[in-house]
PDB file of all heavy atoms in Angstrom:
ATOM      1  N   ASN A 417      59.775-100.243  41.477  1.00 92.00           N
ATOM      2  CA  ASN A 417      59.431-101.619  41.865  1.00 92.00           C
ATOM      3  C   ASN A 417      60.089-102.668  40.984  1.00 92.00           C
ATOM      4  O   ASN A 417      59.770-103.850  41.082  1.00 92.00           O
ATOM      5  CB  ASN A 417      57.908-101.809  41.832  1.00 92.00           C
ATOM      6  CG  ASN A 417      57.236-100.942  42.881  1.00 92.00           C
ATOM      7  OD1 ASN A 417      57.822-100.688  43.941  1.00 92.00           O
ATOM      8  ND2 ASN A 417      56.047-100.458  42.588  1.00 92.00           N
ATOM      9  N   GLY A 418      60.962-102.212  40.103  1.00 89.00           N
ATOM     10  CA  GLY A 418      61.717-103.139  39.274  1.00 89.00           C
ATOM     11  C   GLY A 418      60.870-103.911  38.265  1.00 89.00           C
ATOM     12  O   GLY A 418      61.224-105.033  37.879  1.00 89.00           O
ATOM     13  N   LEU A 419      59.746-103.330  37.843  1.00 90.00           N
ATOM     14  CA  LEU A 419      58.914-104.023  36.852  1.00 90.00           C
ATOM     15  C   LEU A 419      59.587-103.976  35.485  1.00 90.00           C
ATOM     16  O   LEU A 419      60.375-103.071  35.200  1.00 90.00           O
ATOM     17  CB  LEU A 419      57.532-103.354  36.772  1.00 90.00           C
ATOM     18  CG  LEU A 419      56.682-103.464  38.048  1.00 90.00           C
ATOM     19  CD1 LEU A 419      55.398-102.672  37.903  1.00 90.00           C
ATOM     20  CD2 LEU A 419      56.364-104.927  38.339  1.00 90.00           C
ATOM     21  N   PRO A 420      59.269-104.940  34.596  1.00 87.00           N
ATOM     22  CA  PRO A 420      59.907-104.931  33.274  1.00 87.00           C
ATOM     23  C   PRO A 420      59.489-103.719  32.444  1.00 87.00           C
ATOM     24  O   PRO A 420      58.433-103.117  32.682  1.00 87.00           O
ATOM     25  CB  PRO A 420      59.408-106.225  32.626  1.00 87.00           C
ATOM     26  CG  PRO A 420      58.258-106.678  33.436  1.00 87.00           C
ATOM     27  CD  PRO A 420      58.369-106.077  34.792  1.00 87.00           C
ATOM     28  N   GLU A 421      60.330-103.411  31.434  1.00 86.00           N
ATOM     29  CA  GLU A 421      60.143-102.127  30.738  1.00 86.00           C
ATOM     30  C   GLU A 421      58.870-102.016  29.900  1.00 86.00           C
ATOM     31  O   GLU A 421      58.423-100.911  29.607  1.00 86.00           O
ATOM     32  CB  GLU A 421      61.375-101.734  29.914  1.00 86.00           C
ATOM     33  CG  GLU A 421      62.044-102.773  29.076  1.00 86.00           C
ATOM     34  CD  GLU A 421      63.083-103.591  29.818  1.00 86.00           C
ATOM     35  OE1 GLU A 421      62.939-103.788  31.039  1.00 86.00           O
ATOM     36  OE2 GLU A 421      64.020-104.076  29.160  1.00 86.00           O
ATOM     37  N   ASP A 422      58.268-103.165  29.530  1.00 84.00           N
ATOM     38  CA  ASP A 422      57.024-102.987  28.763  1.00 84.00           C
ATOM     39  C   ASP A 422      55.934-102.335  29.622  1.00 84.00           C
ATOM     40  O   ASP A 422      54.994-101.741  29.108  1.00 84.00           O
ATOM     41  CB  ASP A 422      56.535-104.285  28.094  1.00 84.00           C
ATOM     42  CG  ASP A 422      56.801-105.506  28.923  1.00 84.00           C
ATOM     43  OD1 ASP A 422      57.470-105.352  29.954  1.00 84.00           O
ATOM     44  OD2 ASP A 422      56.336-106.594  28.540  1.00 84.00           O
ATOM     45  N   PHE A 423      56.078-102.405  30.940  1.00 88.00           N
ATOM     46  CA  PHE A 423      55.131-101.675  31.805  1.00 88.00           C
ATOM     47  C   PHE A 423      55.278-100.169  31.596  1.00 88.00           C
ATOM     48  O   PHE A 423      54.329 -99.427  31.659  1.00 88.00           O
ATOM     49  CB  PHE A 423      55.406-101.997  33.281  1.00 88.00           C
ATOM     50  CG  PHE A 423      54.728-103.253  33.747  1.00 88.00           C
ATOM     51  CD1 PHE A 423      55.291-104.490  33.485  1.00 88.00           C
ATOM     52  CD2 PHE A 423      53.516-103.196  34.427  1.00 88.00           C
ATOM     53  CE1 PHE A 423      54.672-105.649  33.907  1.00 88.00           C
ATOM     54  CE2 PHE A 423      52.885-104.354  34.846  1.00 88.00           C
ATOM     55  CZ  PHE A 423      53.464-105.594  34.582  1.00 88.00           C
ATOM     56  N   TYR A 424      56.531 -99.736  31.401  1.00 91.00           N
ATOM     57  CA  TYR A 424      56.764 -98.288  31.261  1.00 91.00           C
ATOM     58  C   TYR A 424      56.072 -97.765  30.005  1.00 91.00           C
ATOM     59  O   TYR A 424      55.520 -96.681  29.993  1.00 91.00           O
ATOM     60  CB  TYR A 424      58.251 -97.923  31.157  1.00 91.00           C
ATOM     61  CG  TYR A 424      59.191 -98.595  32.130  1.00 91.00           C
ATOM     62  CD1 TYR A 424      60.564 -98.580  31.888  1.00 91.00           C
ATOM     63  CD2 TYR A 424      58.729 -99.199  33.286  1.00 91.00           C
ATOM     64  CE1 TYR A 424      61.450 -99.175  32.770  1.00 91.00           C
ATOM     65  CE2 TYR A 424      59.607 -99.808  34.168  1.00 91.00           C
ATOM     66  CZ  TYR A 424      60.956 -99.802  33.899  1.00 91.00           C
ATOM     67  OH  TYR A 424      61.831-100.394  34.754  1.00 91.00           O
ATOM     68  N   THR A 425      56.155 -98.585  28.932  1.00 90.00           N
ATOM     69  CA  THR A 425      55.630 -98.055  27.657  1.00 90.00           C
ATOM     70  C   THR A 425      54.130 -97.824  27.726  1.00 90.00           C
ATOM     71  O   THR A 425      53.629 -96.873  27.151  1.00 90.00           O
ATOM     72  CB  THR A 425      55.936 -98.997  26.467  1.00 90.00           C
ATOM     73  OG1 THR A 425      55.577-100.303  26.820  1.00 90.00           O
ATOM     74  CG2 THR A 425      57.365 -98.920  26.038  1.00 90.00           C
ATOM     75  N   VAL A 426      53.409 -98.681  28.452  1.00 91.00           N
ATOM     76  CA  VAL A 426      51.953 -98.491  28.536  1.00 91.00           C
ATOM     77  C   VAL A 426      51.658 -97.107  29.121  1.00 91.00           C
ATOM     78  O   VAL A 426      50.879 -96.317  28.570  1.00 91.00           O
ATOM     79  CB  VAL A 426      51.303 -99.594  29.419  1.00 91.00           C
ATOM     80  CG1 VAL A 426      49.823 -99.310  29.613  1.00 91.00           C
ATOM     81  CG2 VAL A 426      51.528-100.956  28.789  1.00 91.00           C
ATOM     82  N   ASP A 427      52.303 -96.799  30.244  1.00 94.00           N
ATOM     83  CA  ASP A 427      52.031 -95.500  30.870  1.00 94.00           C
ATOM     84  C   ASP A 427      52.579 -94.337  30.056  1.00 94.00           C
ATOM     85  O   ASP A 427      51.976 -93.264  29.999  1.00 94.00           O
ATOM     86  CB  ASP A 427      52.597 -95.476  32.297  1.00 94.00           C
ATOM     87  CG  ASP A 427      51.762 -96.361  33.214  1.00 94.00           C
ATOM     88  OD1 ASP A 427      50.528 -96.228  33.182  1.00 94.00           O
ATOM     89  OD2 ASP A 427      52.351 -97.210  33.917  1.00 94.00           O
ATOM     90  N   LEU A 428      53.723 -94.575  29.422  1.00 93.00           N
ATOM     91  CA  LEU A 428      54.260 -93.484  28.587  1.00 93.00           C
ATOM     92  C   LEU A 428      53.332 -93.218  27.407  1.00 93.00           C
ATOM     93  O   LEU A 428      53.111 -92.068  27.024  1.00 93.00           O
ATOM     94  CB  LEU A 428      55.660 -93.849  28.068  1.00 93.00           C
ATOM     95  CG  LEU A 428      56.771 -93.746  29.106  1.00 93.00           C
ATOM     96  CD1 LEU A 428      58.109 -94.119  28.478  1.00 93.00           C
ATOM     97  CD2 LEU A 428      56.850 -92.354  29.705  1.00 93.00           C
ATOM     98  N   MET A 429      52.744 -94.274  26.848  1.00 91.00           N
ATOM     99  CA  MET A 429      51.797 -94.080  25.751  1.00 91.00           C
ATOM    100  C   MET A 429      50.591 -93.273  26.236  1.00 91.00           C
ATOM    101  O   MET A 429      50.088 -92.409  25.541  1.00 91.00           O
ATOM    102  CB  MET A 429      51.300 -95.442  25.203  1.00 91.00           C
ATOM    103  CG  MET A 429      52.093 -96.018  24.045  1.00 91.00           C
ATOM    104  SD  MET A 429      52.643 -94.850  22.803  1.00 91.00           S
ATOM    105  CE  MET A 429      51.136 -94.415  21.992  1.00 91.00           C
ATOM    106  N   ASN A 430      50.145 -93.592  27.469  1.00 93.00           N
ATOM    107  CA  ASN A 430      49.013 -92.828  28.026  1.00 93.00           C
ATOM    108  C   ASN A 430      49.357 -91.347  28.158  1.00 93.00           C
ATOM    109  O   ASN A 430      48.561 -90.472  27.818  1.00 93.00           O
ATOM    110  CB  ASN A 430      48.614 -93.368  29.406  1.00 93.00           C
ATOM    111  CG  ASN A 430      47.881 -94.683  29.265  1.00 93.00           C
ATOM    112  OD1 ASN A 430      47.380 -95.014  28.187  1.00 93.00           O
ATOM    113  ND2 ASN A 430      47.837 -95.464  30.331  1.00 93.00           N
ATOM    114  N   ALA A 431      50.566 -91.072  28.664  1.00 95.00           N
ATOM    115  CA  ALA A 431      50.986 -89.678  28.816  1.00 95.00           C
ATOM    116  C   ALA A 431      51.052 -89.018  27.438  1.00 95.00           C
ATOM    117  O   ALA A 431      50.584 -87.890  27.242  1.00 95.00           O
ATOM    118  CB  ALA A 431      52.347 -89.601  29.501  1.00 95.00           C
ATOM    119  N   TYR A 432      51.615 -89.755  26.481  1.00 93.00           N
ATOM    120  CA  TYR A 432      51.753 -89.231  25.113  1.00 93.00           C
ATOM    121  C   TYR A 432      50.382 -88.868  24.550  1.00 93.00           C
ATOM    122  O   TYR A 432      50.185 -87.806  23.962  1.00 93.00           O
ATOM    123  CB  TYR A 432      52.418 -90.317  24.255  1.00 93.00           C
ATOM    124  CG  TYR A 432      52.712 -89.916  22.833  1.00 93.00           C
ATOM    125  CD1 TYR A 432      53.781 -89.078  22.545  1.00 93.00           C
ATOM    126  CD2 TYR A 432      51.926 -90.379  21.785  1.00 93.00           C
ATOM    127  CE1 TYR A 432      54.065 -88.715  21.243  1.00 93.00           C
ATOM    128  CE2 TYR A 432      52.202 -90.013  20.478  1.00 93.00           C
ATOM    129  CZ  TYR A 432      53.283 -89.188  20.214  1.00 93.00           C
ATOM    130  OH  TYR A 432      53.554 -88.817  18.926  1.00 93.00           O
ATOM    131  N   SER A 433      49.434 -89.751  24.810  1.00 92.00           N
ATOM    132  CA  SER A 433      48.121 -89.503  24.239  1.00 92.00           C
ATOM    133  C   SER A 433      47.375 -88.405  25.004  1.00 92.00           C
ATOM    134  O   SER A 433      46.692 -87.573  24.398  1.00 92.00           O
ATOM    135  CB  SER A 433      47.411 -90.852  24.152  1.00 92.00           C
ATOM    136  OG  SER A 433      46.229 -90.849  24.753  1.00 92.00           O
ATOM    137  N   SER A 434      47.530 -88.319  26.338  1.00 93.00           N
ATOM    138  CA  SER A 434      46.881 -87.221  27.075  1.00 93.00           C
ATOM    139  C   SER A 434      47.396 -85.875  26.578  1.00 93.00           C
ATOM    140  O   SER A 434      46.631 -84.941  26.340  1.00 93.00           O
ATOM    141  CB  SER A 434      47.181 -87.289  28.570  1.00 93.00           C
ATOM    142  OG  SER A 434      46.829 -88.521  29.089  1.00 93.00           O
ATOM    143  N   LEU A 435      48.721 -85.778  26.412  1.00 94.00           N
ATOM    144  CA  LEU A 435      49.290 -84.511  25.947  1.00 94.00           C
ATOM    145  C   LEU A 435      48.833 -84.219  24.515  1.00 94.00           C
ATOM    146  O   LEU A 435      48.575 -83.073  24.150  1.00 94.00           O
ATOM    147  CB  LEU A 435      50.822 -84.541  26.013  1.00 94.00           C
ATOM    148  CG  LEU A 435      51.414 -84.635  27.425  1.00 94.00           C
ATOM    149  CD1 LEU A 435      52.925 -84.764  27.360  1.00 94.00           C
ATOM    150  CD2 LEU A 435      51.038 -83.410  28.246  1.00 94.00           C
ATOM    151  N   GLY A 436      48.709 -85.280  23.718  1.00 91.00           N
ATOM    152  CA  GLY A 436      48.250 -85.114  22.339  1.00 91.00           C
ATOM    153  C   GLY A 436      46.866 -84.492  22.288  1.00 91.00           C
ATOM    154  O   GLY A 436      46.548 -83.719  21.385  1.00 91.00           O
ATOM    155  N   GLY A 437      46.046 -84.816  23.298  1.00 89.00           N
ATOM    156  CA  GLY A 437      44.685 -84.259  23.342  1.00 89.00           C
ATOM    157  C   GLY A 437      44.694 -82.738  23.370  1.00 89.00           C
ATOM    158  O   GLY A 437      43.805 -82.078  22.832  1.00 89.00           O
ATOM    159  N   ILE A 438      45.733 -82.159  23.991  1.00 90.00           N
ATOM    160  CA  ILE A 438      45.796 -80.694  24.105  1.00 90.00           C
ATOM    161  C   ILE A 438      45.926 -80.044  22.732  1.00 90.00           C
ATOM    162  O   ILE A 438      45.301 -79.033  22.445  1.00 90.00           O
ATOM    163  CB  ILE A 438      46.985 -80.280  25.011  1.00 90.00           C
ATOM    164  CG1 ILE A 438      46.736 -80.809  26.421  1.00 90.00           C
ATOM    165  CG2 ILE A 438      47.198 -78.769  24.999  1.00 90.00           C
ATOM    166  CD1 ILE A 438      47.859 -80.560  27.389  1.00 90.00           C
TER     167      ILE A 438
END
Side-chain angles (χ1 to χ4, degrees):
N417 295 328
L419 295 175
E421 44 273 30
D422 35 354
F423 275 81
Y424 315 164
T425 48
V426 174
D427 288 312
L428 285 180
M429 268 320 289
N430 286 341
Y432 184 76
S433 126
S434 305
L435 294 176
I438 296 176

